[in-house]
Amino acid sequence: MPITIRKGLLHIVLGIAMLLVSLPDAGYSQSPGDIAIIGFNGDGDYEIAIVSFVDISAGTKIYFRDESWDNTTATFPEGEGKITYTVPSGGVNKGSVVVINPATETASDGGTVDEVGGYNFSATGDELYAFLGNSTDEPTTFLFAITTKSSWGANEVPSDLTDGSTALSNIGGTSNQDNGEYTGSRKNTVSGLKSLISEVDSQWTTTDGEGDQSISFDETPFTIVDPPTLAFTSESITVSEDAGSVNIAIELVESNNTDVSVDVVYLDAASSTTTGDLSNYSTQTVSFSFGDGSGTTRTVTLGITDDSEFEGMERAVLQLTGNTTGSLVSSVSLTVVISDDDSPDIVINEIHADPDPSNGDANGDNVVDTRDDEFIEFINNESFDIDISGWKFKDSSADRFTFPDGTVIPSGTAFVLFADTAEIEASEIGYAALFDAGALDLNNGGETLTLTDQNGNEVVSVDNYSEADDNQSITRDPDISGSFVKHSEATNAGGSLFSPGTKADGTPFGSKYAVSIRGEEGWRMISSPTENTTFSDLFSGFWMQGIPGSDAENSAATIYYWDEAGETFSIPTGMNSTLVDAKGYIVYFFEDDKFSTPGIQGGFPKIVSSDKPEHSGSVTVTVSATDADNQGGIDGNEGWNLLGNPFGTDISVDAVLTALQAVNADVQLEVQVWDHDANGGNGAYEGLTAGETIAPFQAFWVKFNTAFSGSEVTFSRNNLAANIGTDFYKRRNQTAIELTFTLSDGTRFDNFYISLNNEATTEQDPHDISKLFSLNPNAINLYSTTPNMKLVKNSLPVDMQTTLRVPLQFEAPGRQNLELSWKGLENLPEGWQLYLRDTQLDKEADLLAIDKYKFSLSSGSAMEKQKSGEDNPEITVMSENVDRDPRFELLVIPPEAREGEESEQIPESVKLNPNYPNPFNPSTTISFELAEQSPVELNVYTIVGQKVATLVDEVREAGEHKETWNAADMPSGIYIAQLEVNGRVYIRKMTLIK
């Protein structure tokens, strides 16, 4: 079941959309738009949800028809179903929501429902009309209509209704959606609510029901208020602390030509600022006068105090209140985000520029190196954790290191930048955060060392330190606050020459672990590096729901673990339950950490931290691969295990795979981690391979290909630790020969890979990597299909002897125009050929001759179905069970196949020769060769795909043919000659220079 998380209402919904209705003819006068259907189901029970903007009397009948009205003949076609809803004895009050269920012939308000003729609202492009009828149920007044198509057809909108106002199309921004519901504000004037409902692109969410699943509609009544109405013009504003002030705009949203005023109040309890940060702000009153029209704005000025104390990102929440003559509508609260312009208290505590050639092995690799053993030690001396993502360390001559995204330094702890981390044990450096610069080249005689923030502002620097050329570091004495001295002379140093990550006496600065969650709200994959850690320990500072002990226990859950045996996401037993060691979890982070408090609390980045002891020594975790469907193998979503890094240091992917192979050798040779921002915001799982690392707090998927019962895997810290400062996730490590295929809508995209590997086979093996679908429900997903699974990476042997056909499938909800492109083909072994076959159009293209293929989706295609919107994400299983013929096939043909399998070859019966001359001005000759008489099309396109000339469109005899294209009236640029013969496409680039 898809799960949707809604910010304000916090309940489970399966999809959302909207629809407007019409009222019955029972002596009651009603007009178009007096009611609205705010939900429809094209799957499951076919429910309809409506809201009324007027009081409706008992006995009123409202009819619904799911067919196309002909406004010319004023008739519906025969044979379609009809629903009659009769208002109950108590009537329907203004603002009430009623859910009508034709399957059970019931209404949520107790009204009666009668279905005749088999009502069946189709998701493949249907209309739904609501109207009042006469004694024969023929329409007398249309109240509202919707269509899931992109636009209304000719004569489909009744004369009572107005397209875009009381007759809505393109709901959700796309066509052919199974289910939908209006999800905008439920408090406004009648005209304001009608206006919001008509904004289908922004105020509606639609979903693919996926297997006759329907929406559970929100029945919360609408609050209808009278004008005048007032609101802030935005929900949040960001301002720098040194801006001095910021203007806050209040809008008279809807006027009724009366005087009205409202107070702008500072909410101390909801803010992280104080009034001192806001120039001692006090409540201000904003007034609008008779004659001020709708949309008039007034401003109040909020002073910003620029102090010298670093306070991080602060939030001031303002609220509208005290309005006695009008009504307040969204947005009633405004969050002012104040970005601090001061530097945090970061201390450079130790500098080692002069390692001892004889006994200065600071990095633990048993090799003393005057460069590799150099390091800089920093201390976070603030009382709170600091996100240092994007910060830079530099010396007098160059930038030396940029700290990766997701890097958080807990309060009171150290972080150390080494020239080479080598084999340093975390325990030896006080469990400080460790980073590998690759080179530092510190000057023994002194220079300026500087740490800057992500905006290039100086955080801390040291000028002209002196190493004294005596083979030891210099350190502050006392630590943090003192002046630099030779390390051997520091208090309690015991003559030691250096102490990276620890105080001079070797004791730790601190042992807290933290990671930064950056970007936007959405799903993340999390594990815990510390012992006996509960969900409350990690997530109590954020808005969590759907779990006993969370902020909203009865709402959709925001924490899941994966049940391999059941092939399903499951919810933890409670916030106070303990995370399983080395297991991973999927967690949804909202932007607002306190929905029950006005304003946006928290924002991004968010810091997840734990000050409990790190897992030490070894950790065991149970893994399995269950043949749940008893088909004699692992297929579909079987065999997946969601694990996590159990340590406070980076761990090696190689070592993790080695540990997993000890219990089952048939494990896929990549681990998968989720990147929320990957592929242009599409979101995607990224494969980590040999030589890469997994960061602390990072959860990851592993996949076994053969069945086995639950077995314990031992993760040893000493064996797994990679000791390299890393991003919260790492990207794919390209293999020597890897072909990348990209499906894009122009903004978002997804990748599929073919890898040539000496150890791979043409059968399923650990080098083939299963596809995990994006957690973004509107994402593009590209993959190949096999009889028992979907793949993101198909690995083939370099010595392959036969032609291989690779079915290529995709999901692209809501898209109509797509582009498939590829790269890396220049790395193919000599003599290999690669063709793309479009099974729908029966065309084939030589991928070595072109680099992209543009295509459109036909109306009603399953690939067009859209899931719930990004603002209402859902948890799904990793690989959708979509069973249909693939749109494309990749034909991979090694040289041996052409020699031994002629039947599998692409016939060499056509040749498109290079044009001559090229470049040309203004004419060029294009020649092609045919082995037999064939139908031929020869067209010329611009580089962006616009056809500018047709040179041939007829049957031609066998032999060579020449055509001349005169481009005198065309601008300079690149043009494409495209030859199509018997469904196969051949392309040449041509350059016109004038």
Side-chain angles (χ1 to χ4, degrees):
M1 179 179 75
I3 293 178
T4 300
I5 300 175
R6 180 181 296 171
K7 172 177 176 179
L9 299 174
L10 304 174
H11 62 239
I12 297 179
V13 290
L14 299 179
I16 302 174
M18 151 198 154
L19 171 72
L20 289 182
V21 187
S22 94
L23 294 170
D25 189 38
Y28 175 76
S29 175
Q30 200 158 353
S31 303
D34 277 354
I35 65 171
I37 297 177
I38 54 171
F40 66 87
N41 280 325
D43 272 327
D45 53 21
Y46 296 105
E47 284 183 323
I48 302 170
I50 67 171
V51 62
S52 178
F53 297 121
V54 296
D55 293 333
I56 306 176
S57 60
T60 301
K61 294 182 184 295
I62 304 176
Y63 301 94
F64 302 91
R65 297 285 292 263
D66 64 319
E67 53 202 324
S68 179
W69 170 260
D70 189 330
N71 203 38
T72 302
T73 61
T75 60
F76 283 115
E78 297 295 330
E80 290 284 348
K82 177 181 62 179
I83 299 172
T84 303
Y85 159 65
T86 303
V87 175
S89 59
V92 173
N93 294 325
K94 180 170 62 175
S96 296
V97 173
V98 180
V99 177
I100 300 164
N101 189 326
T104 60
E105 294 193 333
T106 60
S108 62
D109 65 346
T112 59
V113 177
D114 181 41
E115 179 198 2
V116 295
Y119 169 82
N120 184 6
F121 185 76
S122 172
T124 57
D126 212 342
E127 301 83 24
L128 182 56
Y129 297 86
F131 57 90
L132 302 178
N134 58 23
S135 59
T136 59
D137 299 344
E138 295 176 345
T140 57
T141 303
F142 281 93
L143 300 175
F144 217 89
I146 64 162
T147 178
T148 55
K149 296 186 299 188
S150 59
S151 61
W152 289 98
N155 299 317
E156 287 182 343
V157 178
S159 57
D160 293 345
L161 305 180
T162 302
D163 189 1
S165 175
T166 51
L168 305 181
S169 61
N170 199 34
I171 294 176
T174 184
S175 61
N176 304 331
Q177 300 305 288
D178 291 13
N179 312 314
E181 189 179 22
Y182 166 72
T183 53
S185 172
R186 295 194 171 212
K187 181 181 180 182
N188 212 314
T189 62
V190 169
S191 61
L193 288 169
K194 288 182 178 180
S195 176
L196 287 170
I197 287 172
S198 68
E199 296 176 12
V200 295
D201 290 341
S202 60
Q203 303 299 322
W204 287 75
T205 307
T206 56
T207 183
D208 173 5
E210 298 181 6
D212 282 345
Q213 292 179 346
S214 55
I215 294 172
S216 178
F217 293 124
D218 177 18
E219 298 180 30
T220 304
F222 283 54
T223 300
I224 298 176
V225 299
D226 295 323
T229 55
L230 301 105
F232 285 118
T233 57
S234 63
E235 292 186 350
S236 66
I237 299 174
T238 299
V239 61
S240 175
E241 187 182 57
D242 61 0
S245 64
V246 60
N247 288 327
I248 310 298
I250 299 91
E251 180 182 5
L252 178 61
V253 180
E254 189 170 346
S255 172
N256 69 343
N257 293 318
T258 62
D259 295 340
V260 63
S261 62
V262 66
D263 293 335
V264 182
V265 177
Y266 169 71
L267 300 182
D268 181 71
S271 304
S272 58
T273 55
T274 66
T275 55
D277 296 313
L278 308 175
S279 301
N280 297 314
Y281 176 87
S282 59
T283 298
Q284 296 188 40
T285 300
V286 175
S287 298
F288 295 88
S289 303
F290 175 85
D292 286 334
S294 299
T296 302
T297 60
R298 299 276 191 271
T299 60
V300 299
T301 300
L302 183 69
I304 308 296
T305 303
D306 188 5
D307 57 33
S308 59
E309 180 181 357
F310 180 77
E311 299 151 317
M313 197 77 74
E314 294 186 291
R315 285 170 167 77
V317 181
L318 303 178
Q319 188 173 61
L320 299 180
T321 187
N323 179 14
T324 57
T325 60
S327 302
L328 301 176
V329 296
S330 297
S331 299
V332 176
S333 298
L334 169 70
T335 301
V336 179
V337 181
I338 303 175
S339 177
D340 205 322
D341 63 339
D342 299 305
S343 296
D345 187 8
I346 301 291
V347 177
I348 296 178
N349 193 65
E350 185 176 356
I351 303 169
H352 195 17
D354 186 27
D356 186 344
S358 59
N359 62 357
D361 182 23
N363 67 356
D365 63 355
N366 296 316
V367 177
V368 177
D369 190 291
T370 57
R371 293 298 183 192
D372 287 354
D373 289 301
E374 294 182 343
F375 67 83
I376 306 290
E377 177 189 80
F378 303 86
I379 310 297
N380 174 8
N381 200 38
E382 292 285 0
S383 60
F384 46 84
D385 305 339
I386 297 178
D387 185 341
I388 64 169
S389 302
W391 289 22
K392 293 181 183 295
F393 170 75
K394 60 183 180 181
D395 59 23
S396 297
S397 57
D399 290 349
R400 297 298 181 183
F401 184 74
T402 300
F403 290 89
D405 285 347
T407 304
V408 172
I409 306 303
S411 62
T413 64
F415 57 108
V416 185
L417 183 60
F418 255 99
D420 181 5
T421 56
E423 300 177 9
I424 301 173
E425 291 293 336
S427 59
E428 295 176 356
I429 60 169
Y431 298 100
L434 186 62
F435 302 92
D436 191 327
L440 285 177
D441 293 324
L442 299 178
N443 190 327
N444 292 2
E447 59 183 325
T448 299
L449 306 179
T450 305
L451 182 67
T452 61
D453 65 17
Q454 70 275 14
N455 297 318
N457 302 313
E458 181 179 307
V459 175
V460 63
S461 67
V462 172
D463 294 324
N464 297 319
Y465 63 88
S466 177
E467 187 62 68
D469 293 323
D470 57 359
N471 308 321
Q472 61 177 299
S473 73
I474 56 172
T475 188
R476 294 188 184 274
D477 187 27
D479 285 293
I480 301 176
S481 60
S483 300
F484 282 110
V485 299
K486 296 179 182 180
H487 193 282
S488 60
E489 298 175 358
T491 304
N492 298 322
S496 61
L497 301 181
F498 44 78
S499 58
T502 68
K503 299 175 183 178
D505 62 5
T507 59
F509 285 98
S511 59
K512 188 177 179 182
Y513 300 91
V515 68
S516 175
I517 306 298
R518 305 180 67 79
E520 300 176 348
E521 71 176 42
W523 295 104
R524 303 297 194 276
M525 290 171 55
I526 300 286
S527 63
S528 174
T530 56
E531 298 176 351
N532 302 316
T533 304
T534 68
F535 294 101
S536 289
D537 291 333
L538 294 181
F539 309 125
S540 62
F542 315 114
W543 184 269
M544 293 289 133
Q545 59 187 43
I547 301 168
S550 64
D551 299 287
E553 295 184 2
N554 295 324
S555 301
T558 52
I559 305 176
Y560 290 90
Y561 67 89
W562 178 251
D563 177 7
E564 190 279 326
E567 296 182 77
T568 184
F569 285 103
S570 298
I571 300 169
T573 56
M575 291 297 293
N576 290 324
S577 58
T578 302
L579 283 74
V580 177
D581 295 347
K583 282 287 188 179
Y585 299 84
I586 292 185
V587 183
Y588 192 89
F589 289 93
F590 288 103
E591 180 181 12
D592 195 345
D593 292 335
K594 297 179 181 178
F595 287 156
S596 55
T597 301
I600 299 173
Q601 305 295 317
F604 287 92
K606 299 182 186 296
I607 295 175
V608 178
S609 64
S610 174
D611 57 4
K612 293 195 171 184
E614 183 195 19
H615 290 117
S616 60
S618 297
V619 174
T620 59
V621 61
T622 300
V623 295
S624 61
T626 306
D627 181 15
D629 57 9
N630 296 314
Q631 295 299 309
I634 296 299
D635 54 23
N637 291 313
E638 298 168 348
W640 284 108
N641 288 259
L642 182 54
L643 306 179
N645 180 354
F647 304 116
T649 186
D650 305 334
I651 60 175
S652 162
V653 171
D654 306 71
V656 168
L657 293 174
T658 298
L660 295 171
Q661 288 168 334
V663 298
N664 186 330
D666 196 7
V667 61
Q668 293 185 3
L669 298 180
E670 285 189 8
V671 304
Q672 303 290 317
V673 296
W674 171 247
D675 179 2
H676 176 75
D677 299 316
N679 298 356
N682 190 74
Y685 287 96
E686 299 286 350
L688 306 185
T689 59
E692 295 188 295
T693 57
I694 303 169
F697 287 94
Q698 179 69 67
F700 56 92
W701 292 100
V702 298
K703 169 84 168 181
F704 293 96
N705 291 331
T706 56
F708 68 103
S709 58
S711 300
E712 286 191 344
V713 176
T714 298
F715 287 160
S716 168
R717 193 183 195 285
N718 289 338
N719 292 338
L720 266 61
N723 295 309
I724 300 175
T726 180
D727 292 344
F728 189 42
Y729 60 84
K730 280 286 190 179
R731 294 188 178 273
R732 171 181 308 276
N733 184 20
Q734 294 284 333
T735 57
I737 302 179
E738 185 165 275
L739 315 180
T740 302
F741 297 83
T742 301
L743 182 65
S744 173
D745 64 359
T747 301
R748 296 180 177 179
F749 60 92
D750 195 34
N751 293 326
F752 166 75
Y753 304 88
I754 288 182
S755 174
L756 301 183
N757 188 321
N758 287 326
E759 299 178 357
T761 69
T762 55
E763 305 299 323
Q764 179 182 319
D765 61 53
H767 296 278
D768 296 319
I769 307 301
S770 295
K771 174 69 175 180
L772 286 165
F773 274 44
S774 172
L775 289 171
N776 178 347
N778 282 331
I780 295 171
N781 288 282
L782 178 64
Y783 53 94
S784 70
T785 58
T786 71
N788 62 349
M789 68 176 60
K790 300 173 177 65
L791 300 177
V792 66
K793 183 177 183 180
N794 195 331
S795 295
L796 306 175
V798 176
D799 59 355
M800 189 169 67
Q801 303 293 309
T802 60
T803 294
L804 185 68
R805 295 180 180 269
V806 180
L808 201 58
Q809 190 55 282
F810 62 90
E811 303 295 323
R815 279 75 167 188
Q816 293 183 341
N817 299 309
L818 295 166
E819 179 181 278
L820 185 64
S821 60
W822 42 89
K823 61 183 179 180
L825 273 63
E826 68 277 6
N827 298 320
L828 276 173
E830 185 176 357
W832 283 55
Q833 294 180 339
L834 194 61
Y835 291 85
L836 177 73
R837 179 171 180 264
D838 186 330
T839 62
Q840 181 172 312
L841 301 181
D842 193 25
K843 290 185 176 182
E844 289 172 350
D846 182 353
L847 301 194
L848 294 174
I850 59 177
D851 57 9
K852 64 186 64 174
Y853 180 81
K854 295 182 178 181
F855 63 99
S856 298
L857 301 182
S858 60
S859 177
S861 167
M863 291 176 287
E864 290 184 88
K865 292 186 177 181
Q866 186 170 356
K867 304 165 189 170
S868 60
E870 290 179 315
D871 294 334
N872 300 292
E874 61 190 36
I875 278 283
T876 63
V877 292
M878 284 77 69
S879 179
E880 302 282 343
N881 294 318
V882 180
D883 186 15
R884 62 175 182 270
D885 294 333
R887 172 69 184 262
F888 297 105
E889 279 188 336
L890 292 171
L891 278 68
V892 186
I893 310 173
E896 292 79 0
R898 294 200 304 276
E899 298 172 1
E901 300 178 15
E902 293 297 328
S903 63
E904 290 289 340
Q905 292 184 50
I906 302 297
E908 295 291 344
S909 59
V910 179
K911 185 177 182 181
L912 176 62
N913 298 313
N915 62 302
Y916 182 85
N918 192 33
F920 65 96
N921 180 24
S923 297
T924 188
T925 298
I926 306 167
S927 69
F928 59 92
E929 301 172 23
L930 304 176
E932 58 186 12
Q933 178 177 293
S934 304
V936 174
E937 276 193 50
L938 178 59
N939 298 306
V940 179
Y941 294 85
T942 66
I943 195 66
V944 295
Q946 179 185 7
K947 185 191 292 188
V948 295
T950 297
L951 305 181
V952 179
D953 186 7
E954 62 185 8
V955 175
R956 287 289 181 93
E957 299 293 331
E960 183 178 7
H961 301 267
K962 296 182 179 181
E963 299 293 332
T964 298
W965 180 45
N966 189 323
D969 57 347
M970 302 302 297
S972 297
I974 303 290
Y975 292 86
I976 305 295
Q978 177 177 297
L979 177 70
E980 183 174 343
V981 181
N982 295 323
R984 296 187 176 90
V985 176
Y986 307 83
I987 289 177
R988 290 285 185 182
K989 289 184 179 180
M990 309 181 295
T991 303
L992 171 62
I993 299 177
K994 291 187 174 181

